[in-house]
Amino acid sequence: MEKSRLLQLAKQIEVCRRCDLYKGAKNAVPGEGNPKTGILFIGEAPGFNEDIQGLPFVGNAGKYLDNLLTKIGLSRGDVFITNMVKHRPPENRDPSFGEIAACNAWLEEQLTIIEPKVIVTLGRLSLNYFLPNAKISDVHGHPYRVRNYIVLPMYHPAAALRSMQITTELESDFQKNLELLNNPDLSKHITESYQDSGQASLF
Ligand code: SF4
């Protein structure tokens, strides 16, 4: 049921013209994975390889993400992966505020269909969609309740490929949240919000 609704949505995304990003892109990248496990990963935007294949996280950063998942006993088939914008920005630049705002409706439809328990934000853009004032250096690795979800901010895997310090922190954040990511039902025990505490949330 979810899969067919997501396929239908992907067809709408393929012909979307709400912003100009489609003009320079070869393919839309709506997202892929298992919509039933309760875990949604949200990155920033498709890059070169993603644009060619129409699939999210298939370049070096994607291979590294697969590796991070494997280390905590998961695979790509155990999560659903998407991005804030569904077409590649030219030269891999960050999507603009207007482009993100234009694409939000697709993300919201994916949230409605998937009903994730845990949302892992990869990088600053998806983090600030759910926690607008948060700094990734302050909140990474800590789960927070936002709307009906637990939002777990993480550094973007591409940032980890550029910095050993971020690699260490990202791998540690995955390990720290191994239990939650393997059992998203644990999310119901997480009660603190970023706005309330400004600190790490607790089980
Ligand atoms: S990036 Fe999003 S809003 Fe812009 S054309 Fe693609 S699907 Fe539509």
Side-chain angles (χ1 to χ4, degrees):
M1 181 63 177
E2 290 93 345
K3 277 202 172 168
S4 64
R5 288 174 71 194
L6 286 168
L7 277 175
Q8 216 172 1
L9 191 67
K11 286 188 183 141
Q12 292 177 264
I13 292 171
E14 276 165 25
V15 295
C16 175
R17 302 292 182 260
R18 285 183 191 156
C19 79
D20 283 344
L21 288 183
Y22 77 91
K23 288 182 181 170
K26 290 188 169 49
N27 287 295
V29 185
E32 70 155 2
N34 188 338
K36 291 190 171 172
T37 57
I39 305 176
L40 176 64
F41 279 69
I42 309 176
E44 300 186 337
F48 177 81
N49 293 293
E50 290 76 17
D51 181 46
I52 288 180
Q53 295 187 42
L55 295 169
F57 282 88
V58 288
N60 286 338
K63 289 192 185 93
Y64 182 48
L65 177 61
D66 287 346
N67 191 263
L68 290 165
L69 289 169
T70 302
K71 283 184 178 170
I72 59 163
L74 294 174
S75 71
R76 184 174 280 248
D78 294 317
V79 302
F80 194 90
I81 306 176
T82 190
N83 282 300
M84 290 302 297
V85 297
K86 316 304 191 196
H87 283 101
R88 181 195 181 204
E91 311 297 326
N92 284 358
R93 66 162 169 77
D94 281 349
S96 68
F97 179 80
E99 289 158 354
I100 292 173
C103 215
N104 280 352
W106 298 125
L107 179 64
E108 287 298 328
E109 291 208 37
Q110 289 176 317
L111 291 170
T112 302
I113 294 168
I114 296 170
E115 296 184 324
K117 295 184 174 81
V118 178
I119 295 173
V120 181
T121 58
L122 298 171
R124 180 178 52 86
L125 299 181
S126 49
L127 165 66
N128 288 148
Y129 185 67
F130 295 97
L131 297 171
N133 300 315
K135 278 175 67 180
I136 196 159
S137 54
D138 292 339
V139 299
H140 69 90
H142 301 298
Y144 298 102
R145 184 161 290 287
V146 181
R147 291 154 64 177
N148 293 326
Y149 318 115
I150 290 304
V151 171
L152 178 55
M154 299 273 199
Y155 282 108
H156 196 286
L161 293 178
R162 295 190 295 267
S163 156
M164 265 317 290
Q165 188 192 337
I166 292 180
T167 302
T168 306
E169 297 198 33
L170 183 57
E171 298 201 1
S172 158
D173 289 345
F174 266 78
Q175 290 300 326
K176 272 193 303 196
N177 290 284
L178 180 153
E179 266 189 276
L180 174 64
L181 291 170
N182 275 277
N183 183 5
D185 283 335
L186 287 174
S187 63
K188 59 178 175 267
H189 301 299
I190 298 171
T191 55
E192 289 199 31
S193 71
Y194 178 70
Q195 288 79 4
D196 290 339
S197 65
Q199 298 292 322
S201 59
L202 302 168
F203 283 91

